[in-house]
Amino acid sequence: MPGKTNGVGVQVEDAKICVVMVGLPARGKSYIAQIAQRYLQWLSIPAQTFNVGNYRRNDAPHPTADFFDFNNAEGERKRRAAAEAAVADMLKWFKTGGVVGILDATNSTKERRKWVHQVCEANGVEVLFVESKCDEEEVIMANVLDVKTTSPDYKGQDPEDAARDFRKRISQYEKVYKTIDGDGDESDYTYLKIMNIGKQVVINRIQDYLQSRIVYYLMNLHIRPRSVWLSRHGESLYNLDGRIGGDTMLSPRGQLYAKKLPELVRESVGDDRPLTVWTSTLKRTIATSRWLPQHHNQLQWKALDELDSGVCDGLTYQEIKDRYPEDFVARDEDKYNYRYPAGESYRDVVIRLEPIIMELERSEDILIVTHQAVLRCIYAYFMKKDQAKSPWMNVPLHTLIKLTPRAYGTEEIRYEANIPAVSTWRGKGSTAKHEAPTGDTM
Amino acid sequence: MPGKTNGVGVQVEDAKICVVMVGLPARGKSYIAQIAQRYLQWLSIPAQTFNVGNYRRNDAPHPTADFFDFNNAEGERKRRAAAEAAVADMLKWFKTGGVVGILDATNSTKERRKWVHQVCEANGVEVLFVESKCDEEEVIMANVLDVKTTSPDYKGQDPEDAARDFRKRISQYEKVYKTIDGDGDESDYTYLKIMNIGKQVVINRIQDYLQSRIVYYLMNLHIRPRSVWLSRHGESLYNLDGRIGGDTMLSPRGQLYAKKLPELVRESVGDDRPLTVWTSTLKRTIATSRWLPQHHNQLQWKALDELDSGVCDGLTYQEIKDRYPEDFVARDEDKYNYRYPAGESYRDVVIRLEPIIMELERSEDILIVTHQAVLRCIYAYFMKKDQAKSPWMNVPLHTLIKLTPRAYGTEEIRYEANIPAVSTWRGKGSTAKHEAPTGDTM
């Protein structure tokens, strides 16, 4: 039997991995779970989070801290039942093709971890424990504040009461919490231990490629506040003609956008925040960035070049339909997977963007000036957009997009230059040179 | 000032990093140093190893174990002088543009590490300690055996005497050796601690991108014995015409090679060793692999596709010279850096091969069926070939190459199918369709 690949160059074979979160409440476990799921899904790896709290809320929707007292037999029984239900659902999900299941819970005792490990092993699922250990009061406080305003456990309650109760809940867990014992009877486990948000990281017995991908990604995350700005190049000469690809210069209106961009950036970023500008290696993105202040470092990445349209490079959609009618139809049927002859698919673009995403996760403020398809892929990563839909998103020219990752999603603000430009959006089946976007934009 | 990149998408800024090896003798430090240097140089990052033993040998060419007794004041003085000379040379080298200097020595005491750290900091050099800690007798024995036959310290001596003396030397070091103290006064250091060849890894205070690249690479190394087999596709229809690029099928002789390949593989790999076959996504590599046994998993990687020759795709060298005379000359002048209009350079190919190399380092036996330029880049990585020369190497068609990484370099065996094929090698300035290779092959 030939080996399987998920099509993005990731050899997943028949891997089934359960990522088991470990740690006290308010240590960022749900954030890690959420962001790992988003990253894997973006890479076309089926990933799903199973949050034990959600199962427990069926039985106990608004528990007080006493519920989490480990001497409270009733609470203990319900929490155990919730964990069992989550794990059972996860095992069912693996049977339907799931690859990485993330068990989001405290899993704070050795007994609980041993149980999860045994159940998974018995079902042919590898276990990767991911522990977040943190004693920096500032980080914990920020998480407590976040929980009191967003957790369904405290819905409708006074925020101060909620924070007080949540603190008490944490101290209930502290009584029984044991960190993963890497020198003792847990030394055979595969685990990643993240101390104080990455200051120290311990990696134990990582066995295969997919585990190491997850570990490397999580190692690179940071939680310092930052934003990512995205812009397409200014309108190009090919845009005017409705031609795709190429390496043409900016149109007069595109040049106006380049001159206006520093103002938009100043408005959004501010004057003294250090910003690094990434462009592709193509003339139109470099020209779009040329008026940005000299103190912003600029880097060119080949990986940010536009989707390679192969034999169709330089053609209009009408010409593509005339010369390659079957390709034209095939692309509209599955735009994400369709690869231009001698060119690329959106899926291919995602593979080559993966190192860019990794570098973005490590970085602080970055402005990326790139191309329609590439921008769609980067946007889809941050905004968790569906692969079937992202290639159809409308990304207008002459617009600066600011994305700010937060604990529970990514915030977006748009700045329009108010400089007219043609539309480069195209609906399914259309060969129009400049079609007005319909329905969902992004 | 615009930011700097080394051209392979690695943002090195003004980083200067000293990788300080730490560990008892026979823990694979020199192997790690050597392989890290090779990887970085392949990525165009200036890297150099400074081996303190080489400096010490100027003063004490064949020391016995007594020399390494820490109560031996004369030995201690000489070893200290050697360390100082190595560090001084490294600092000089950083001033000439060096980026990663690797200090290969035991650095087994806290005092020594503190001194190196202070000297580097004072000179604006970041320090990354890399400790190899190992108590598996089997691994240590293998390293001891290796040293007794290869170390210049024991040149001309009886191997048994050498092994005995080397064991004694190790025990001298054991008396003073202190592992990096991550909980105590060394907790502020940036370090990577590799326990028992990667079973456990501790990463502390990694600060920037280049450090994390080095750490990720070293995490992925393993020392289980394995080989990598390389083959070009069989002769293609374009090869016959002397055309570059394209996606043509195999010539009749190319098809003969595809039928013969399973025999060459059986001869070299053996019957029951599990082997995974990687091809590009182009027809000629897939067709070359089609007769390989079904029990060898096959994977297609876009990253293994041939160097994209952009506007020159499908042309002969004579046609390129006629249509793009300036490009033709420019490419010959700096073939590694030359990028075809709308296509790629060798440097670009190396960037997109980096994840392939990382995956290769993690894997066991792999057979790669790919293309001339891609094969040159992979070969250059394993055989440490110069970037200026590697694009000119002759890689004959219809030949299977077996590469086996060893502690002090990579072994090579070639298996020729004895099926005639055209030459696709081309000398500087030539436009011949099929030129006979001259001088160095690979």
Side-chain angles (χ1 to χ4, degrees), chain A residues 413-426:
Chain A
I413 305 175
R414 295 200 180 198
Y415 302 84
E416 284 174 28
N418 296 317
I419 296 167
V422 298
S423 163
T424 58
W425 185 85
R426 181 183 73 85

Side-chain angles (χ1 to χ4, degrees), chain A residues 11 209, chain B residues 38 42 217 220-222 224 226-230 276 278 301 304 353-368 377-379 381-382 403 405:
Chain A
Q11 184 173 351
Y209 180 62
Chain B
R38 190 186 75 185
W42 184 73
Y217 177 73
N220 279 329
L221 295 179
H222 70 79
R224 296 182 294 281
R226 58 81 181 258
S227 296
V228 175
W229 286 264
L230 303 175
T276 302
W278 296 352
W301 297 81
L304 290 173
L353 283 176
E354 204 268 349
I356 296 273
I357 291 294
M358 204 62 93
E359 177 68 348
L360 266 181
E361 286 296 354
R362 294 195 58 79
S363 302
E364 318 257 312
D365 291 338
I366 304 282
L367 163 60
I368 303 179
C377 293
I378 297 174
Y379 185 90
Y381 168 77
F382 282 106
L403 300 180

